[in-house]
Amino acid sequence: MEVATVNQQPFRLLDLPAELRRCVYDSIEFRTTWHVLDRTQALLSKRYWPVPPKTQVYESRVTLIRPHAPLEILMTCHLVRKEASPILKRKMEDCRLQPVRYLVDYSAAWALVGPSSPLRSCLGVADRGLRKTENRAVGDFVQMCGSFLSQTRWTQNGVRGPRVIEMTITRKSETAYGIEFLQTMAWLGMFKYYGPTKLVFIYKSPLPSTQLVANGDIKDSKDLEKHMLQTLPREWEIGNETSSERGVFMRPLEGEAFEKHVEGLASY
């Protein structure tokens, strides 16, 4: 039995009325791009990027998430460029107002917030300069992060505010974490910004339990989380995403809310 098929032929965009062409331009989506730096690519020493147990994460990585502007349509012809440019420019401005987002595990977070790590500049801290021993993957990733950071700054009522960085830290449930988790939390508590930058640390609450030595006692992190929330303000205690406050803030999310947040990173 033959199955009837519809022969779909391409159509000329310029055959559409101008109103419909503008609808086409307005429907163009800015997809997200994920730029990944694995620990095995970075080849940094353990003091800069510790090796996490396989029970925590199979491969520790830092993922930079940013929107990608599909500007190829502007290269088709002069008329399309003239019609589409104002619409895409508005979309690009909206993207510039979005935070620079990172998705990490606790070991990768150590690599970002560690006081002497070469990846620290990805969070907008003054770059100490890459060493000759640091490989090209690290250098390229740091430069890419710097490029996106330089383009990000929200504006409200004509006044430029701080650039916003969101760092989402994932973890496995029912898994005890060790020194890489505790040290990361300690460094976050001491993290300082002297420029116009706001870092929002997003994590799954409650914090994971800890086990500092193999077969040692497993302890919950209730007291640690309480201390962190006293040290670093919750984001909503200051204001919304466009708050003019600068510094480091926490955004604890419980179970389902955290999973929904991580899923939402796939699109802007």
Side-chain angles (χ1 to χ4, degrees), residues 48-128:
Y48 294 137
W49 195 334
V51 182
K54 295 299 183 183
T55 55
Q56 295 179 12
V57 60
Y58 181 75
E59 178 60 74
S60 182
R61 57 173 55 100
V62 178
T63 303
L64 167 66
I65 306 173
R66 290 295 291 164
H68 171 72
L71 303 180
E72 294 81 4
I73 193 172
L74 300 180
M75 302 173 63
T76 54
C77 71
H78 178 73
L79 178 59
V80 170
R81 182 182 182 89
K82 181 179 179 180
E83 292 177 339
S85 290
I87 296 174
L88 295 184
K89 182 179 180 181
R90 185 187 70 244
K91 288 175 172 282
M92 290 176 65
E93 287 300 315
D94 290 341
C95 288
R96 289 190 63 195
L97 301 181
Q98 295 291 330
V100 172
R101 294 185 169 104
Y102 294 100
L103 182 64
V104 297
D105 54 88
Y106 276 103
S107 180
W110 169 312
L112 286 176
V113 302
S116 57
S117 171
L119 294 177
R120 192 175 170 90
S121 59
C122 293
L123 297 182
V125 179
D127 190 0
R128 64 172 178 78

Coordinates of all heavy atoms in Angstrom, one line a residue, residues 48-128:
Y48 N 44.6 23.2 41.9 CA 43.7 24.1 41.2 C 42.4 23.5 40.8 O 41.4 24.2 40.7 CB 44.4 24.6 39.9 CG 45.6 25.4 40.1 CD1 46.8 25.3 39.3 CD2 45.7 26.4 41.1 CE1 47.9 26.0 39.5 CE2 46.8 27.2 41.3 CZ 47.9 27.0 40.5 OH 49.1 27.7 40.7
W49 N 42.4 22.2 40.5 CA 41.2 21.5 40.1 C 41.2 20.1 40.6 O 41.8 19.2 39.9 CB 41.0 21.6 38.6 CG 39.6 21.2 38.1 CD1 38.7 20.4 38.7 CD2 39.1 21.6 36.8 NE1 37.6 20.4 37.9 CE2 37.8 21.1 36.7 CE3 39.5 22.4 35.8 CZ2 36.9 21.3 35.6 CZ3 38.7 22.6 34.7 CH2 37.4 22.1 34.6
P50 N 40.7 19.8 41.8 CA 40.8 18.5 42.4 C 40.1 17.4 41.6 O 39.1 17.7 40.9 CB 40.2 18.6 43.8 CG 39.3 19.8 43.7 CD 40.0 20.7 42.6
V51 N 40.5 16.2 41.7 CA 39.8 15.1 41.0 C 38.7 14.6 41.9 O 39.0 14.1 43.0 CB 40.8 13.9 40.7 CG1 40.1 12.8 40.0 CG2 42.0 14.4 39.9
P52 N 37.5 14.7 41.4 CA 36.3 14.2 42.3 C 36.2 12.7 42.2 O 36.5 12.1 41.1 CB 35.1 15.0 41.7 CG 35.5 15.1 40.2 CD 37.0 15.3 40.2
P53 N 35.7 12.1 43.2 CA 35.4 10.6 43.2 C 34.3 10.4 42.1 O 33.5 11.2 41.8 CB 34.9 10.3 44.6 CG 35.4 11.4 45.4 CD 35.4 12.6 44.6
K54 N 34.4 9.2 41.5 CA 33.4 8.9 40.4 C 32.0 8.8 41.0 O 31.0 8.9 40.3 CB 33.8 7.6 39.8 CG 35.1 7.6 39.0 CD 35.1 8.6 37.9 CE 36.4 8.6 37.1 NZ 36.4 9.7 36.0
T55 N 31.9 8.6 42.3 CA 30.6 8.6 42.9 C 29.9 9.9 42.9 O 28.7 10.1 43.0 CB 30.7 8.1 44.4 OG1 31.6 9.0 45.1 CG2 31.1 6.7 44.5
Q56 N 30.7 11.0 42.7 CA 30.1 12.4 42.6 C 29.8 12.8 41.2 O 28.7 13.3 40.9 CB 31.1 13.4 43.3 CG 31.3 13.1 44.7 CD 32.3 14.1 45.3 OE1 32.7 15.1 44.7 NE2 32.8 13.9 46.5
V57 N 30.8 12.6 40.3 CA 30.6 13.1 38.9 C 31.6 12.3 38.1 O 32.7 12.1 38.4 CB 30.8 14.6 38.8 CG1 32.2 15.0 39.2 CG2 30.6 15.1 37.4
Y58 N 31.1 11.8 36.9 CA 32.0 11.0 36.0 C 33.1 11.9 35.5 O 34.2 11.4 35.4 CB 31.1 10.4 34.9 CG 32.0 9.6 34.0 CD1 32.4 8.3 34.4 CD2 32.4 10.0 32.7 CE1 33.2 7.5 33.5 CE2 33.2 9.3 31.9 CZ 33.6 8.0 32.3 OH 34.3 7.2 31.5
E59 N 32.8 13.1 35.0 CA 33.8 14.0 34.5 C 33.5 15.4 35.0 O 32.5 16.0 34.7 CB 33.8 13.9 33.0 CG 34.8 14.9 32.3 CD 36.3 14.6 32.7 OE1 36.8 13.6 32.2 OE2 36.8 15.3 33.5
S60 N 34.5 16.0 35.7 CA 34.3 17.3 36.2 C 34.5 18.3 35.1 O 35.5 18.2 34.3 CB 35.3 17.6 37.3 OG 35.1 18.9 37.9
R61 N 33.6 19.3 34.9 CA 33.7 20.2 33.8 C 33.1 21.6 34.2 O 32.2 21.6 35.1 CB 33.0 19.7 32.6 CG 31.6 19.3 32.7 CD 31.0 18.9 31.4 NE 31.7 17.9 30.7 CZ 31.4 16.6 30.7 NH1 30.3 16.2 31.3 NH2 32.1 15.7 30.0
V62 N 33.5 22.6 33.6 CA 32.9 23.9 33.6 C 32.2 24.2 32.3 O 32.8 24.0 31.2 CB 34.0 25.0 33.9 CG1 33.3 26.4 33.9 CG2 34.7 24.8 35.2
T63 N 30.9 24.5 32.3 CA 30.2 24.8 31.1 C 29.7 26.2 31.1 O 29.0 26.7 32.0 CB 29.0 23.9 31.0 OG1 29.4 22.5 31.1 CG2 28.2 24.1 29.7
L64 N 30.1 27.0 30.1 CA 29.7 28.3 29.9 C 28.5 28.3 29.0 O 28.5 27.7 27.9 CB 30.8 29.2 29.3 CG 30.5 30.5 28.7 CD1 30.1 31.5 29.8 CD2 31.7 31.1 27.9
I65 N 27.4 28.9 29.4 CA 26.2 28.9 28.7 C 25.8 30.3 28.2 O 25.6 31.2 29.1 CB 25.0 28.3 29.5 CG1 25.4 27.0 30.1 CG2 23.7 28.3 28.7 CD1 24.4 26.4 31.0
R66 N 25.7 30.5 26.9 CA 25.4 31.8 26.4 C 24.5 31.7 25.1 O 24.5 30.7 24.5 CB 26.7 32.6 26.0 CG 27.5 33.0 27.1 CD 26.8 34.1 28.0 NE 26.6 35.3 27.3 CZ 25.8 36.3 27.7 NH1 25.0 36.1 28.7 NH2 25.7 37.4 27.0
P67 N 23.7 32.7 24.8 CA 22.9 32.6 23.6 C 23.7 32.9 22.4 O 24.7 33.6 22.4 CB 21.8 33.8 23.8 CG 22.5 34.7 24.7 CD 23.4 33.9 25.6
H68 N 23.3 32.2 21.3 CA 24.0 32.4 20.0 C 23.1 33.2 19.1 O 21.9 32.9 18.9 CB 24.3 31.1 19.4 CG 24.8 31.1 18.0 ND1 26.0 31.6 17.7 CD2 24.2 30.8 16.8 CE1 26.2 31.6 16.4 NE2 25.1 31.1 15.8
A69 N 23.6 34.3 18.5 CA 22.8 35.1 17.6 C 22.9 34.6 16.2 O 24.0 34.6 15.6 CB 23.3 36.5 17.6
P70 N 21.8 34.1 15.6 CA 21.8 33.6 14.2 C 21.6 34.7 13.2 O 20.5 35.1 12.8 CB 20.5 32.7 14.2 CG 19.6 33.3 15.2 CD 20.4 34.0 16.2
L71 N 22.8 35.3 12.9 CA 22.8 36.5 12.0 C 23.0 36.1 10.5 O 23.1 37.1 9.7 CB 23.9 37.4 12.5 CG 23.8 37.9 13.9 CD1 24.9 38.8 14.3 CD2 22.4 38.5 14.2
E72 N 22.9 34.9 10.2 CA 23.2 34.5 8.8 C 22.1 35.1 7.8 O 22.4 35.4 6.7 CB 23.2 33.0 8.6 CG 24.3 32.3 9.3 CD 24.1 32.1 10.8 OE1 23.0 32.4 11.3 OE2 25.0 31.6 11.5
I73 N 20.9 35.3 8.4 CA 19.8 35.8 7.5 C 20.2 37.2 7.0 O 19.7 37.6 5.9 CB 18.5 35.7 8.2 CG1 17.3 36.0 7.2 CG2 18.5 36.8 9.4 CD1 16.0 35.8 7.8
L74 N 21.0 37.9 7.7 CA 21.3 39.3 7.3 C 22.2 39.3 6.1 O 22.4 40.4 5.5 CB 22.0 40.0 8.5 CG 21.2 40.2 9.8 CD1 22.0 40.9 10.8 CD2 19.9 40.9 9.5
M75 N 22.8 38.2 5.8 CA 23.7 38.1 4.6 C 23.0 37.7 3.3 O 23.6 37.5 2.3 CB 24.8 37.1 4.9 CG 25.6 37.4 6.2 SD 26.8 36.2 6.7 CE 27.9 36.2 5.2
T76 N 21.7 37.5 3.4 CA 20.9 37.1 2.2 C 20.8 38.2 1.1 O 21.2 38.0 0.0 CB 19.6 36.6 2.6 OG1 18.9 37.6 3.3 CG2 19.7 35.3 3.4
C77 N 20.3 39.3 1.5 CA 20.2 40.4 0.5 C 20.0 41.7 1.3 O 19.7 41.7 2.5 CB 19.0 40.2 -0.5 SG 17.4 40.3 0.3
H78 N 20.1 42.8 0.6 CA 20.0 44.2 1.2 C 18.6 44.4 1.8 O 18.5 44.9 3.0 CB 20.3 45.2 0.1 CG 20.1 46.6 0.7 ND1 21.1 47.2 1.5 CD2 19.2 47.6 0.5 CE1 20.7 48.4 1.9 NE2 19.6 48.7 1.3
L79 N 17.5 44.0 1.2 CA 16.2 44.2 1.7 C 16.0 43.5 3.0 O 15.5 44.0 4.0 CB 15.1 43.8 0.7 CG 13.7 44.0 1.1 CD1 13.4 45.4 1.5 CD2 12.7 43.5 0.0
V80 N 16.3 42.2 3.0 CA 16.2 41.4 4.2 C 17.0 42.0 5.4 O 16.6 42.1 6.5 CB 16.5 39.9 4.0 CG1 16.6 39.1 5.3 CG2 15.5 39.3 3.0
R81 N 18.2 42.4 5.1 CA 19.1 43.0 6.1 C 18.4 44.2 6.7 O 18.4 44.5 7.9 CB 20.4 43.3 5.5 CG 21.4 43.9 6.5 CD 22.7 44.3 5.8 NE 23.7 44.8 6.8 CZ 24.5 44.1 7.5 NH1 24.5 42.8 7.3 NH2 25.4 44.6 8.3
K82 N 17.9 45.1 5.8 CA 17.2 46.3 6.2 C 16.0 46.0 7.1 O 15.8 46.7 8.1 CB 16.8 47.1 5.0 CG 16.2 48.5 5.4 CD 15.8 49.2 4.1 CE 15.1 50.5 4.5 NZ 14.7 51.3 3.2
E83 N 15.2 45.0 6.8 CA 14.0 44.7 7.5 C 14.3 44.0 8.8 O 13.7 44.2 9.9 CB 13.1 43.8 6.7 CG 12.5 44.5 5.5 CD 11.6 43.6 4.6 OE1 11.8 42.4 4.7 OE2 10.8 44.1 3.9
A84 N 15.3 43.0 8.8 CA 15.5 42.2 9.9 C 16.4 42.8 11.0 O 16.3 42.5 12.2 CB 16.1 40.8 9.5
S85 N 17.3 43.7 10.6 CA 18.3 44.2 11.5 C 17.7 44.9 12.8 O 18.1 44.6 13.9 CB 19.2 45.3 10.8 OG 20.0 44.6 9.8
P86 N 16.7 45.7 12.7 CA 16.1 46.3 13.9 C 15.5 45.3 14.9 O 15.7 45.4 16.1 CB 15.0 47.2 13.4 CG 15.4 47.5 12.0 CD 16.0 46.3 11.5
I87 N 14.9 44.2 14.3 CA 14.3 43.2 15.1 C 15.4 42.3 15.8 O 15.3 42.1 17.0 CB 13.4 42.3 14.3 CG1 12.2 43.1 13.7 CG2 12.9 41.1 15.1 CD1 11.3 42.4 12.8
L88 N 16.4 41.9 15.1 CA 17.5 41.1 15.6 C 18.3 41.9 16.6 O 18.8 41.4 17.6 CB 18.3 40.5 14.5 CG 17.6 39.5 13.6 CD1 18.6 38.9 12.6 CD2 17.0 38.4 14.4
K89 N 18.5 43.2 16.3 CA 19.2 44.1 17.2 C 18.6 44.2 18.6 O 19.2 44.1 19.6 CB 19.4 45.5 16.6 CG 20.2 46.4 17.5 CD 20.3 47.8 16.9 CE 21.2 48.7 17.7 NZ 21.3 50.1 17.1
R90 N 17.2 44.2 18.6 CA 16.5 44.3 19.8 C 16.7 43.0 20.6 O 16.9 42.9 21.8 CB 15.0 44.5 19.6 CG 14.2 44.7 20.8 CD 12.7 44.7 20.5 NE 12.2 43.5 20.1 CZ 11.7 43.2 18.9 NH1 11.6 44.2 18.0 NH2 11.2 42.0 18.6
K91 N 16.6 41.8 19.9 CA 16.8 40.5 20.5 C 18.3 40.4 21.1 O 18.5 39.9 22.2 CB 16.6 39.4 19.5 CG 15.1 39.2 19.1 CD 15.0 38.1 18.0 CE 13.6 37.8 17.7 NZ 13.1 36.8 18.7
M92 N 19.2 41.0 20.4 CA 20.6 40.9 20.8 C 20.8 41.8 22.1 O 21.5 41.4 23.0 CB 21.6 41.4 19.7 CG 21.7 40.4 18.6 SD 22.7 41.1 17.2 CE 24.3 41.1 18.0
E93 N 20.1 42.9 22.2 CA 20.2 43.7 23.4 C 19.6 43.0 24.6 O 20.1 43.1 25.7 CB 19.5 45.1 23.1 CG 20.2 46.0 22.2 CD 21.6 46.4 22.8 OE1 21.7 46.7 24.0 OE2 22.6 46.3 22.0
D94 N 18.5 42.3 24.3 CA 17.9 41.5 25.4 C 18.9 40.4 25.9 O 19.0 40.1 27.1 CB 16.6 40.8 24.9 CG 15.5 41.8 24.7 OD1 15.6 42.9 25.2 OD2 14.5 41.5 24.0
C95 N 19.6 39.8 25.0 CA 20.6 38.8 25.3 C 21.7 39.4 26.2 O 22.2 38.8 27.1 CB 21.2 38.1 24.1 SG 20.0 37.0 23.3
R96 N 22.1 40.6 25.9 CA 23.2 41.3 26.6 C 22.8 41.5 28.1 O 23.6 41.7 28.9 CB 23.6 42.6 26.0 CG 24.3 42.5 24.6 CD 24.8 43.8 24.2 NE 25.8 44.3 25.1 CZ 26.2 45.6 25.2 NH1 25.7 46.4 24.3 NH2 27.2 45.9 26.0
L97 N 21.5 41.6 28.3 CA 21.0 41.9 29.7 C 21.0 40.6 30.5 O 20.8 40.6 31.7 CB 19.6 42.5 29.6 CG 19.5 43.8 28.9 CD1 18.1 44.3 29.0 CD2 20.5 44.9 29.5
Q98 N 21.1 39.4 29.8 CA 21.1 38.1 30.5 C 22.4 37.9 31.2 O 23.5 38.4 30.8 CB 20.9 37.0 29.5 CG 19.5 37.0 28.8 CD 18.4 36.8 29.8 OE1 18.6 36.0 30.8 NE2 17.2 37.3 29.5
P99 N 22.4 37.2 32.4 CA 23.6 36.9 33.1 C 24.5 36.0 32.3 O 24.0 35.2 31.4 CB 23.1 36.2 34.4 CG 21.7 36.5 34.5 CD 21.2 36.7 33.1
V100 N 25.8 36.0 32.5 CA 26.7 35.0 32.1 C 26.5 33.8 33.0 O 26.6 33.9 34.2 CB 28.2 35.4 32.1 CG1 29.1 34.3 31.8 CG2 28.4 36.6 31.1
R101 N 26.2 32.6 32.4 CA 25.8 31.5 33.2 C 26.9 30.3 33.1 O 27.4 30.0 32.0 CB 24.5 30.9 32.8 CG 23.3 31.9 33.1 CD 22.0 31.3 32.8 NE 20.9 32.2 33.3 CZ 20.2 33.0 32.6 NH1 20.4 33.1 31.3 NH2 19.2 33.7 33.1
Y102 N 27.2 29.8 34.3 CA 28.1 28.6 34.3 C 27.4 27.4 35.0 O 26.6 27.7 36.0 CB 29.4 28.9 35.1 CG 30.3 29.9 34.5 CD1 30.2 31.3 35.0 CD2 31.1 29.6 33.5 CE1 31.1 32.2 34.4 CE2 31.9 30.6 32.9 CZ 31.9 31.9 33.4 OH 32.7 32.8 32.8
L103 N 27.6 26.2 34.5 CA 27.1 25.0 35.1 C 28.3 24.2 35.5 O 29.1 23.8 34.7 CB 26.2 24.3 34.1 CG 25.5 23.0 34.6 CD1 24.5 23.3 35.7 CD2 24.8 22.3 33.5
V104 N 28.4 23.9 36.8 CA 29.6 23.2 37.3 C 29.2 22.2 38.4 O 28.1 22.2 38.9 CB 30.6 24.2 38.0 CG1 31.1 25.2 36.9 CG2 29.9 25.0 39.1
D105 N 30.1 21.3 38.7 CA 30.1 20.5 39.9 C 30.9 21.1 41.0 O 31.6 22.1 40.7 CB 30.5 19.0 39.6 CG 31.9 19.0 38.9 OD1 32.9 19.0 39.7 OD2 32.0 19.1 37.7
Y106 N 31.0 20.5 42.2 CA 31.7 21.2 43.2 C 33.2 21.2 43.0 O 33.9 22.1 43.4 CB 31.4 20.5 44.6 CG 30.1 21.0 45.2 CD1 28.9 20.3 45.1 CD2 30.1 22.3 45.8 CE1 27.8 20.8 45.7 CE2 28.9 22.8 46.3 CZ 27.8 22.1 46.3 OH 26.6 22.6 46.8
S107 N 33.7 20.2 42.3 CA 35.2 20.2 42.0 C 35.5 21.3 41.0 O 36.5 22.0 41.1 CB 35.6 18.8 41.4 OG 36.9 18.8 41.1
A108 N 34.6 21.5 40.0 CA 34.8 22.5 39.0 C 34.6 23.9 39.6 O 35.3 24.9 39.2 CB 33.9 22.3 37.8
A109 N 33.7 24.0 40.6 CA 33.5 25.3 41.3 C 34.8 25.6 42.0 O 35.1 26.8 42.1 CB 32.3 25.1 42.2
W110 N 35.5 24.7 42.6 CA 36.8 24.9 43.2 C 37.7 25.6 42.2 O 38.4 26.5 42.5 CB 37.3 23.6 43.7 CG 38.8 23.5 44.2 CD1 39.9 24.0 43.5 CD2 39.3 22.9 45.3 NE1 41.0 23.8 44.2 CE2 40.7 23.1 45.4 CE3 38.7 22.2 46.4 CZ2 41.5 22.6 46.4 CZ3 39.5 21.7 47.4 CH2 40.9 21.9 47.4
A111 N 37.7 25.1 41.0 CA 38.6 25.6 39.9 C 38.3 27.0 39.6 O 39.1 27.8 39.2 CB 38.6 24.7 38.7
L112 N 37.0 27.4 39.8 CA 36.6 28.8 39.4 C 36.9 29.8 40.6 O 37.3 30.9 40.3 CB 35.1 28.8 39.1 CG 34.7 28.3 37.7 CD1 33.2 28.3 37.6 CD2 35.4 29.1 36.6
V113 N 36.7 29.4 41.8 CA 36.8 30.3 42.9 C 38.1 30.2 43.7 O 38.3 31.0 44.6 CB 35.6 30.1 43.9 CG1 34.3 30.3 43.2 CG2 35.6 28.7 44.6
G114 N 38.9 29.2 43.4 CA 40.2 29.1 44.1 C 41.0 30.3 44.0 O 41.1 30.9 42.9
P115 N 41.7 30.8 45.1 CA 42.4 32.0 45.1 C 43.5 32.2 44.1 O 43.9 33.3 43.7 CB 42.9 32.2 46.5 CG 42.9 30.8 47.0 CD 41.8 30.1 46.4
S116 N 44.1 31.1 43.6 CA 45.2 31.2 42.7 C 44.9 30.4 41.4 O 45.9 30.2 40.6 CB 46.5 30.7 43.3 OG 46.4 29.3 43.7
S117 N 43.7 30.1 41.1 CA 43.3 29.3 39.9 C 43.4 30.2 38.7 O 42.9 31.4 38.7 CB 41.9 28.7 40.1 OG 41.5 28.1 38.9
P118 N 43.9 29.7 37.6 CA 43.8 30.5 36.3 C 42.4 30.7 35.7 O 42.2 31.5 34.9 CB 44.7 29.6 35.4 CG 44.6 28.2 35.9 CD 44.5 28.4 37.4
L119 N 41.5 29.9 36.2 CA 40.1 30.1 35.8 C 39.3 31.1 36.6 O 38.1 31.4 36.3 CB 39.3 28.7 35.8 CG 39.9 27.6 34.9 CD1 39.1 26.3 35.2 CD2 39.8 28.0 33.5
R120 N 39.9 31.7 37.6 CA 39.2 32.6 38.4 C 38.7 33.9 37.6 O 37.7 34.5 38.0 CB 40.2 33.1 39.5 CG 39.6 33.9 40.7 CD 40.7 34.1 41.7 NE 40.3 35.0 42.8 CZ 39.7 34.7 43.9 NH1 39.4 33.5 44.1 NH2 39.3 35.6 44.8
S121 N 39.5 34.2 36.6 CA 39.1 35.4 35.8 C 37.8 35.2 35.1 O 37.1 36.1 34.6 CB 40.2 35.7 34.8 OG 40.4 34.7 33.9
C122 N 37.3 33.9 34.9 CA 36.0 33.6 34.3 C 34.9 34.2 35.1 O 33.8 34.3 34.6 CB 35.8 32.1 34.1 SG 36.9 31.3 33.0
L123 N 35.1 34.5 36.4 CA 34.1 35.1 37.3 C 34.3 36.6 37.4 O 33.7 37.2 38.3 CB 34.2 34.4 38.7 CG 33.8 33.0 38.7 CD1 33.9 32.4 40.2 CD2 32.5 32.7 38.1
G124 N 35.1 37.2 36.5 CA 35.2 38.6 36.5 C 36.3 39.2 37.5 O 36.3 40.4 37.7
V125 N 37.1 38.3 38.0 CA 38.2 38.7 38.9 C 39.4 39.0 38.1 O 39.7 38.4 37.0 CB 38.5 37.6 39.9 CG1 39.6 38.1 40.9 CG2 37.3 37.3 40.8
A126 N 40.2 40.0 38.5 CA 41.4 40.4 37.7 C 42.2 39.2 37.4 O 42.6 38.4 38.2 CB 42.2 41.5 38.5
D127 N 42.6 39.1 36.1 CA 43.4 38.0 35.6 C 44.8 38.1 36.1 O 45.4 39.1 35.9 CB 43.3 37.9 34.1 CG 43.9 36.7 33.5 OD1 44.4 35.8 34.3 OD2 43.9 36.5 32.3
R128 N 45.3 37.0 36.7 CA 46.7 37.1 37.1 C 47.7 36.7 36.0 O 48.9 36.7 36.2 CB 46.9 36.1 38.3 CG 46.7 34.6 37.9 CD 47.1 33.6 38.9 NE 46.8 32.3 38.6 CZ 47.6 31.6 37.8 NH1 48.6 32.1 37.2 NH2 47.3 30.3 37.5

